[in-house]
Every structure is written in C-alpha cells, then in structure tokens.
Amino acid sequence: MKRVVSGIQPTGSLTLGNYLGAIRNWIAFLHTHECLFFMADLHSWTVLQDPAKLAEQCRLVAAAYIASGIDPTVSSIFMQSHVAGHSELAWLLNCITPLGWLNRMTQFKDKAGKDKEKANLGLYAYPVLMAADILLYKATHVPVGDDQKQHLELTRDIAGAFNQTFGETFILPEPMILGQATRVMSLRDGTAKMSKSDPSDLSRINLMDDADTIIKKIKKAKSDAFPLPGNSDDLADRPEAKNLLNIYSVFADKPLLQCCLEFEGANFSALKEALADVLVTALTPIRTEMVRLMNEPHYLDKILAQGKDKALSIAAETLKEVHQKMGMLKV
Ligand code: AQP
C-alpha cells in the first residue's frame, strides 16, 4: 500500500509558497496512492494563536486544499488535533530521540531567533511531532517543500531508531520535494522564504488575494538594478530575479531557461507585468472556490468528520502495534 501524508499549519491564509511547495504537488498522488492531508493545528501552537480565529483558519486551509484540486472523495482531509494518536506517538518518539538530533534542526534556530532560552519547548520538539504525523499512518511518501527536507531526514532516523530498538514497525518514508518552485522566496527579500507569518503582507501572495492585490504586490516586489539575464546560471547571485522568474516559469508552464530568454535584456517591469498576468489567471479560480466553500462551513465540517474517521482507524492500528512492541499493559 502506497500512502501519502502531508499537512500545513493553519497559521494564516496560505501562501503561494504553500501552494507550489506542497498542495499543488499533492494532486499527482490522488489516484495512485491512499492520501491523507491534515491541518496541523497542534503544530500551529508553537506560536501563540488567537483562539477566536483558529477554527476559521482551519476551515480556510481545508477550503484551500479542496479549491486547489484536492478531491475529498478520493482523499482524507482532517484536523491533526482530532486524532489524539499524533500527540501520543510524538511523546513516545520524544523518548527515543537524542537531543543532539534536535539541536541540528535549522528551522528551530531560524524560528527561535537570538534568545533561544525564551523559545517554547513545542517549537524545539516540533520535528518529533512531525515524525509522529507521518509514522502514525506509515506513510510511504511525503510531499513537502524544500524547507522540510531536514525534518524528513530526522523522521527517517527516528523510524530507524524505533525499528532497531523494538523490531521492524515503521516504514522509512520517502521525501517528495517536487516541482520547479520547491522554495518560493519572499517578494521583499529574495534570500528569505515566503512565509504566512512574515510581518509584511507585501512579502507574500496569499491564496485569498484578489487580482488587484496580486498585481500591486508583484509591482512592489523587490528587484535589482540590472537588466534580466538570458541565462539561468547568471541568476545565481540575483535572488529576486531568480525568484520571480522561477514563479513565472511554473505558471507560464515553460522551462526556466526559456523564460530567461523571453526577458533577456528587459527590465523587471516587463517580467512583473507578465508574472502578475499568469498569477491572476491561475489563482483567481482557486480564490473564487475558496470563498464559495467558506460560505458552506457545514459541508467543510462534514468532510473533516469523514477524514477524521478514516485517520482514526489507521492510527489505531499503528498505536496498537506500538503499544504491543513497547510492552504497554493491556487489560
Ligand atoms: N516558501 C515556500 N516555498 C515552498 N514550500 C513552502 N512551504 C511553506 N512555505 C514554502 C511548504 O508548505 C508546507 C506547509 O508549511 P507549514 O505552514 O506547515 O509550515 P512552514 O513551512 O513554516 O510554512 P510557513 O508559511 O512559513 O508557515 P509559518 O509562517 O506559520 O511558519 C510544507 O510542505 C512546506 O515545505
């Protein structure tokens, strides 16, 4: 059984980065793998959330999945917190994960900032919860953006450590880092990842942005002072040009080199105009469908309830096996 598992934190409106790095790549697995996609609300609490907004943000992510083409009739969409096994398995895996492995995680270093003493334990243990998210379902393939590569490697190490200690239990999942835009960068700084929690809304395209907002953000995107190159090698030290051309290449459905040749010698405004155009064309139908779905919360909740039932049944099997291997008392 080939099984795909992936998720996104409901920490705000999803970005073009979440779409290109994750959701868009999930679609290819819908008819070849058993697919489980969740809203990582437990993960979202590594940063303080507004309880009054969280439920709506979760529905918004579910709406984004479905509007982007994740068919809920052939996949399971559910809330991470609805399956307690995520937390339970995370605890058990915490107990076999050496601190040294977590100390190497670059995302913790980036997100904790300078004063690591003030960072919460959840942020530090985040990669172990992510390992539990994947191993609980014995996922064979995990499609994620490039920023999650290190966490996937840790998941494989933790699975290997568990298997070695308690006998063959977990599948070592394959990370699937797919597509041309595995790391979409901020529109305000081509060296930083596009992120939903970036304080500047101008740094990102949100899937809920309307056409005018997309056009405005692309117009204001940071550029450099030189004409665009006709060769992708010359993009190496031009992060803003590289990022915009990469995004254009995905939505124009042309190889990067062809896009470089198309804008060779032009200034950024020509590229920005063409980019805004393809983005508006691709994202408007997704936004329209998200708005429609958000007006149908009962429909969304029904899908999440169905997804929960499926996820719970797989999780129960894995936990039963884990309990047995770890010698938990059964009465
Ligand atoms: N900029 C990106 N480029 C490519 N892929 C990305 N992903 C996120 N940003 C980019 C992919 O989206 C999936 C889920 O991400 P997440 O929201 O759970 O966590 P994140 O990676 O921390 O994303 P954000 O937007 O930066 O969230 P916040 O701001 O809340 O921390 C993953 O597959 C990720 O690779």
Side-chain angles (χ1 to χ4, degrees), residues 125-185:
Y126 179 114
V128 185
L129 178 57
M130 181 167 157
D133 298 336
I134 296 164
L135 301 179
L136 187 60
Y137 303 102
K138 300 196 173 182
T140 53
H141 298 86
V142 184
V144 284
D146 183 61
D147 60 316
Q148 297 299 329
K149 193 170 168 209
Q150 196 185 34
H151 291 163
L152 255 298
E153 280 158 11
L154 180 77
T155 298
R156 290 170 62 90
D157 288 344
I158 294 174
F162 188 100
N163 290 349
Q164 208 171 18
T165 311
F166 300 106
E168 223 35 56
T169 308
F170 293 120
I171 294 166
L172 269 51
E174 284 299 327
M176 308 296 287
I177 297 168
L178 304 165
Q180 166 76 21
T182 54
R183 189 178 281 253
V184 180
M185 308 311 278

Side-chain angles (χ1 to χ4, degrees), residues 164-216:
Q164 208 171 18
T165 311
F166 300 106
E168 223 35 56
T169 308
F170 293 120
I171 294 166
L172 269 51
E174 284 299 327
M176 308 296 287
I177 297 168
L178 304 165
Q180 166 76 21
T182 54
R183 189 178 281 253
V184 180
M185 308 311 278
S186 158
L187 298 178
R188 305 304 293 165
D189 172 3
T191 63
K193 193 185 76 150
M194 182 182 284
S195 201
K196 354 179 178 70
S197 55
D198 189 311
S200 167
D201 192 53
L202 287 176
S203 69
R204 59 182 164 263
I205 302 290
N206 301 309
L207 293 184
M208 283 299 273
D209 285 343
D210 61 20
D212 288 346
T213 309
I214 293 174
I215 294 166
K216 182 184 84 183

